[in-house]
Amino acid sequence: MKTRMFLLTIALSALMLVPAAFAQQQKIGYVNSTKIFQELPAAQDAQRRIDALGKPIQDSLETMQRELQARYEDYQKREALLNEAAKKAEQQKLIDLERRMNEYRQLKLGNDGELARETEKLLAPLRDRIRSAITTVAKEEKYSFVFDKTESIQILLYGDPAHDVTFKVIDRLKRGK
């Protein structure tokens, strides 16, 4: 009985040491994907193109907003002089104008809008390239896990700067490998 207990204690001790040894073999790093995008010339170019696509849309929306505001102010000035039918007609025109403006905004800037589709088309290849570079650096440096730590999204709550592989990824991307 004592021998069994002794063997059981040794077996349990050995089992407890295996995870500890395994954990010591793990190498964990992190990157700042925002910093990578800021440093990557192709991402800067893509951002300029996205901004150029968005500018005319914003300008159109601002023009529509000014027109709606001017028409509303004009309606308010003339409201007392209008009969009920004319008031209803003017109110309907204002409602229609606002509806068209909102439809345009949704069509151009909505989640599935024109700008979102173009942004995805421009950024998807860059994200793939960055992910590939992260994978390559992680394999070369023998990292088991690489997390993302940006200013806005904190997937990693603390990271020792010695394990920050952001600049290795940037270097890999800039060398084109």
Side-chain angles (χ1 to χ4, degrees):
M1 179 79 166
K2 287 183 181 181
T3 310
R4 279 177 120 185
M5 203 52 144
F6 178 72
L7 291 174
L8 183 62
T9 304
I10 290 176
L12 286 174
S13 297
L15 285 175
M16 292 173 71
L17 292 175
V18 169
F22 180 72
Q24 289 176 353
Q25 294 173 2
Q26 301 286 321
K27 189 172 178 185
I28 299 172
Y30 66 94
V31 297
N32 182 329
S33 60
T34 302
K35 180 74 173 164
I36 292 170
F37 261 91
Q38 289 170 347
E39 295 285 328
L40 191 60
Q44 294 166 359
D45 181 52
Q47 187 59 53
R48 279 191 292 274
R49 291 171 66 189
I50 292 166
D51 292 345
L53 290 169
K55 179 83 170 96
I57 296 169
Q58 284 297 90
D59 291 346
S60 294
L61 283 169
E62 288 172 11
T63 300
M64 294 169 107
Q65 183 64 42
R66 282 193 303 274
E67 180 185 349
L68 178 63
Q69 185 65 32
R71 285 181 141 190
Y72 180 72
E73 289 170 2
D74 182 54
Y75 167 73
Q76 284 182 319
K77 290 176 189 174
R78 297 182 309 119
E79 182 179 17
L81 304 172
L82 299 173
N83 63 32
E84 282 304 309
K87 282 182 186 179
K88 292 245 187 256
E90 286 298 316
Q91 289 171 355
Q92 190 59 46
K93 286 180 184 176
L94 290 170
I95 290 169
D96 289 344
L97 186 60
E98 185 173 16
R99 181 185 45 75
R100 283 195 310 272
M101 183 179 75
N102 288 332
E103 286 172 355
Y104 178 80
R105 178 182 290 119
Q106 187 63 32
L107 178 71
K108 299 294 184 172
L109 300 177
N111 288 339
D112 295 325
E114 182 181 315
L115 188 60
R117 287 190 309 271
E118 289 299 316
T119 298
E120 182 60 25
K121 194 185 314 178
L122 289 169
L123 295 183
L126 293 173
R127 279 194 297 267
D128 292 344
R129 202 170 138 214
I130 290 169
R131 210 173 287 122
S132 175
I134 290 170
T135 300
T136 301
V137 168
K139 285 179 180 178
E140 286 176 355
E141 302 284 328
K142 296 185 179 15
Y143 283 95
S144 301
F145 302 97
V146 177
F147 294 96
D148 192 1
K149 180 181 180 183
T150 66
E151 292 77 26
S152 59
I153 300 173
Q154 295 292 320
I155 294 172
L156 177 66
L157 299 177
Y158 170 77
D160 183 342
H163 300 290
D164 185 351
V165 296
T166 301
F167 293 102
K168 291 177 182 178
V169 172
I170 291 170
D171 182 53
R172 164 86 43 200
L173 287 164
K174 286 185 176 180
R175 285 187 289 139
K177 292 184 180 176

